[in-house]
Amino acid sequence: MQGAEVDALAEQLRALVALLDELSEDDFHLATRCPGWTVVELVAHCEGMLHRLVGENAQAVDGEPQIDRVGYYRYDPDGPREGEDPGATFSEVIRDRVIDEVGGRSGAGIRASLERAVDRAIEGVHNIPAGRVIKRSGHPRMTFGEFVASRSLEFGVHTMDIAHAVGRPEQAEPGARDIIVGILDGLLGRPVPRSVGWDATTYILTGTGRRKATAAERDALGTLAGKFPLLR
């Protein structure tokens, strides 16, 4: 697979690695705004996503694609998934998995491991056809290319989460930022009105529930205000 989606993902992943290079061991144990997750756990979550991106989530399945990058986020994130505890929410399942993925590693150790995972994932993505139909657990079928695009949102937003936790500027890289904004526009059903006055970062933070819209912004959004957050 080649193209803008791959370039955007690679750019965002390199930015994440560069951010982690700046952190002290204490920084890795700071709480993030993702409830119950520290920086090191969020990094482990990112590492796991990279392994699955070119592993189990890249396996070809029969059938036509049913959703695209926007449709991927139109599902209920709570409730059981196939093969998982029916009494657990999706967030709880991920949380339990991440604890195992941290495995007692230090911040420096998990940063080095993530960098290796980034290199393997970027190389692996280049060797997988964009048109391959895949099916991630809990989601309808989609093409691998659209799934890769969805990863720009995941890694872009989690890079911003880590930056927030350690007091660094929050921003996604340009290519990933444009993909994220496009996905949010798709979930909203149209671009955000200019009168709201948001830049891309503010839109991303508000659209993903990391920031609440002010009363004035909700007035400017009008009937669109009730759609926020667009995803969590």
Side-chain angles (χ1 to χ4, degrees):
M1 175 178 174
Q2 306 286 337
E5 287 81 6
V6 180
D7 294 343
L9 180 60
E11 179 186 37
Q12 186 60 56
L13 290 171
R14 297 302 184 201
L16 173 57
V17 170
L19 171 61
L20 299 179
D21 276 340
E22 301 175 0
L23 305 189
S24 68
E25 186 64 32
D26 287 344
D27 287 334
F28 279 94
H29 299 284
L30 293 173
T32 71
R33 61 188 166 202
C34 300
W37 291 44
T38 62
V39 170
V40 72
E41 288 166 342
L42 202 48
V43 176
H45 175 51
C46 289
E47 180 189 19
M49 285 196 292
L50 287 168
H51 290 316
R52 290 184 288 276
L53 172 62
V54 291
E56 63 188 78
N57 290 337
Q59 300 303 308
V61 299
D62 294 331
E64 295 298 315
Q66 299 164 297
I67 57 170
D68 58 11
R69 67 189 71 180
V70 176
Y72 178 85
Y73 289 101
R74 287 196 178 110
Y75 77 106
D76 182 358
D78 293 323
R81 291 294 185 268
E82 181 180 351
E84 294 170 351
D85 178 2
T89 67
F90 192 38
S91 296
E92 288 168 341
V93 170
I94 292 176
R95 168 70 177 158
D96 290 344
R97 183 171 65 197
V98 166
I99 290 174
D100 292 337
E101 289 172 341
V102 171
R105 289 177 288 173
S106 67
I110 206 163
R111 188 216 64 80
S113 183
L114 178 82
E115 185 170 13
R116 291 191 295 271
V118 165
D119 290 339
R120 287 195 297 269
I122 293 173
E123 180 180 1
V125 166
H126 283 302
N127 294 321
I128 299 171
R132 175 183 291 180
V133 179
I134 64 164
K135 186 180 186 300
R136 185 175 180 268
S137 177
H139 295 266
R141 295 185 301 273
M142 67 191 305
T143 64
F144 183 71
E146 289 296 287
F147 184 60
V148 167
S150 78
R151 300 304 85 186
S152 276
L153 187 151
E154 298 291 335
F155 290 110
V157 171
H158 284 326
T159 300
M160 294 168 71
D161 290 333
I162 293 169
H164 175 267
V166 299
R168 302 297 201 280
E170 299 176 62
Q171 60 184 23
E173 297 304 299
R177 178 197 65 211
D178 291 347
I179 289 173
I180 298 168
V181 167
I183 291 172
L184 294 178
D185 284 349
L187 292 170
L188 185 60
R190 53 157 295 176
V192 171
R194 289 182 179 272
S195 59
V196 180
W198 287 341
D199 60 14
T201 296
T202 305
Y203 184 22
I204 292 168
L205 292 174
T206 312
T208 60
R210 286 157 170 80
R211 171 188 180 273
K212 289 186 177 180
T214 66
E217 290 167 346
R218 294 185 70 83
D219 285 344
L221 285 166
T223 58
L224 297 174
K227 293 189 174 185
F228 284 83
L230 300 169
L231 59 87
R232 293 175 175 82

